[in-house]
Amino acid sequence: MFSAQACIQHIIPKTRPDFSREGSAFAPVNIALIKYWGKRDTELNLPVTDSLSIGLRTLGTRTRIRWTEGEDNISLNGELLPSDNAFVKRTRQYLHYFRPNPSLGFIIDTHNDVPTGAGLASSASGYAALVLALNDLCQWQLNKTQLSILARIGSGSASRSLWNGLVHWHAGTQADGMDSYATPITHQLPSLRVGLLTLSRKTKPISSRLGMQQTVHGLSLYPAWKPMVEQHLSRLQTAIAAQDIAQIGAISEHNALSMHATMLSASPALCYFLPETIATLQTLWQARSEGLACWATLDAGPNVKLLFDAHEEAAVTACFPKVSIVQPFG
Ligand code: DP6
């Protein structure tokens, strides 16, 4: 077992704090089309399988960071958070890996475009923006592979939030995780649209982190997940190369629902859906049986993301008037 501290120290150069500097960065939210669900190492966030995502380009996290003598001072969306707040506790634990000495702290001001902890991938863009801002503050000049590894140790899905467009996170096989990082995929899907249906803004009752553990160790259908992902990933790569949005949507929806099936089959069972989530899926499936070319994907939360081609935009809006549409490729 390698510790997160040792892996991070292996990557970052010796840091000399410059109190006159400020680091800042933006990282996009990413939505997984092939999901990351389950870890082979919980300290380093090493996944059981590869995953593949799409960045949302305009939606993400903006973070500014400075050094301070003493305690960390963390603001989220303009509000200074108390030190017993769960978000602060998790962020501070991660920041410990980067302090040249324990008495130094950070002043962090971070803004999320999407609700925090509601299954809209805010931890992915959050840790990616934090790592980029640290790289700027400390002038490490790390490359994207190194940054992806650092972000992954903060939150697995953050390894994919360093790029726009399609991104592939390679699970890797090494125990130290140095081969577990993301790379961008050159293919573009200019006509792909992602529709966000925010059904709840509440923080989910069980984090993805705990949910994954409950599924992996919960006597569930989880053993079927790895071979299924391998098959879905290979079919998705073919569909991406062919720019086949219908196939991309269908494979992504099947992958997301398969992930939720592993959770439902755990003991105790885990269900992130709300009644509104089921109602939305039923509306979608009914509309699809009547010809609407639109598919859904869902993460560890009740909110639904829709995948469709630009020419379906009017029909999707008619079916889901509250949808907020993103053009991932501009
Ligand atoms: C369902 O990256 O939030 O969104 O590594 O424990 O921080 P940790 O988990 P996290 O899990 C994301 C799970 C997911 C699927 C995905 O984004 O691939």
Side-chain angles (χ1 to χ4, degrees):
M1 276 280 280
F2 288 82
S3 72
Q5 180 79 51
C7 292
I8 288 176
Q9 289 310 314
H10 179 74
I11 292 175
I12 60 172
K14 194 168 163 46
T15 306
R16 281 192 191 79
D18 175 350
F19 285 81
S20 67
R21 267 191 78 78
E22 176 178 284
S24 65
F26 171 81
V29 159
N30 77 75
I31 304 293
L33 304 181
I34 300 293
K35 307 293 184 190
Y36 147 54
W37 196 250
K39 306 181 193 193
R40 62 185 166 89
D41 182 315
T42 50
E43 171 147 354
L44 300 177
N45 293 330
L46 297 177
V48 170
T49 69
D50 287 20
S51 56
L52 195 154
S53 64
I54 181 144
L56 293 191
R57 199 173 57 89
T58 50
L59 293 181
T61 303
R62 282 168 192 78
T63 294
R64 286 169 32 210
I65 184 164
R66 284 182 287 134
W67 294 102
T68 181
E69 303 274 7
E71 287 277 288
D72 296 322
N73 176 312
I74 301 176
S75 302
L76 174 63
N77 298 331
E79 187 194 338
L80 179 63
L81 299 176
S83 54
D84 60 351
N85 174 283
F87 177 88
V88 170
K89 282 191 190 159
R90 185 171 159 189
T91 309
R92 291 190 61 187
Q93 202 175 339
Y94 182 66
L95 289 170
H96 287 327
Y97 300 134
F98 298 95
R99 301 182 210 282
N101 77 61
S103 68
L104 284 180
F106 295 96
I107 299 176
I108 295 181
D109 183 20
T110 193
H111 289 260
N112 280 338
D113 295 325
V114 296
T116 308
L120 281 165
S122 59
S123 79
S125 57
Y127 279 92
L130 181 55
V131 162
L132 288 167
L134 279 165
N135 186 49
D136 185 27
L137 174 72
C138 305
Q139 297 182 282
W140 293 322
Q141 299 182 338
L142 299 176
N143 62 40
K144 286 273 188 102
T145 300
Q146 294 168 313
L147 293 168
S148 176
I149 292 174
L150 294 182
R152 186 249 295 147
I153 293 172
S155 180
S157 52
S159 65
R160 302 184 306 238
S161 264
L162 298 167
W163 298 268
N164 286 313
L166 295 160
V167 177
H168 183 164
W169 173 16
H170 309 270
T173 55
Q174 289 176 211
D176 64 1
M178 290 301 161
D179 59 350
S180 182
Y181 53 81
T183 53
I185 296 174
T186 46
H187 288 98
Q188 305 247 325
L189 301 167
S191 67
L192 179 71
R193 298 290 178 269
V194 177
L196 302 177
L197 285 170
T198 306
L199 306 174
S200 166
R201 290 181 177 270
K202 287 203 189 116
T203 302
K204 56 202 174 197
I206 299 185
S207 67
S208 315
R209 186 153 291 190
L210 293 178
M212 276 185 215
Q213 290 306 96
Q214 191 166 322
T215 314
V216 173
H217 300 297
L219 305 171
S220 67
L221 293 174
Y222 191 73
W225 175 245
K226 189 169 189 257
M228 207 184 262
V229 166
E230 281 162 10
Q231 197 204 87
H232 290 170
L233 182 63
S234 136
R235 286 174 48 217
L236 185 69
Q237 285 166 325
T238 307
I240 289 170
Q243 305 232 335
D244 185 341
I245 297 214
Q247 269 303 309
I248 293 169
I251 297 163
S252 303
E253 182 174 306
H254 185 205
N255 182 262
L257 294 175
S258 304
M259 174 183 76
H260 284 275
T262 68
M263 302 180 201
L264 283 172
S265 69
S267 176
L270 179 60
C271 180
Y272 286 105
F273 295 172
L274 289 175
E276 299 88 309
T277 314
I278 304 285
T280 301
L281 287 174
Q282 281 173 340
T283 304
L284 172 68
W285 294 331
Q286 178 63 35
R288 205 155 73 214
S289 74
E290 292 162 10
L292 184 73
C294 179
W295 293 264
T297 183
L298 305 99
D299 291 300
N303 297 314
V304 177
K305 295 103 192 181
L306 302 173
L307 302 166
F308 52 95
D309 190 277
H311 69 247
E312 292 283 356
E313 221 171 290
V316 168
T317 308
C319 193
F320 301 103
K322 291 191 176 153
V323 70
S324 153
I325 297 176
V326 180
Q327 298 188 16
F329 294 90

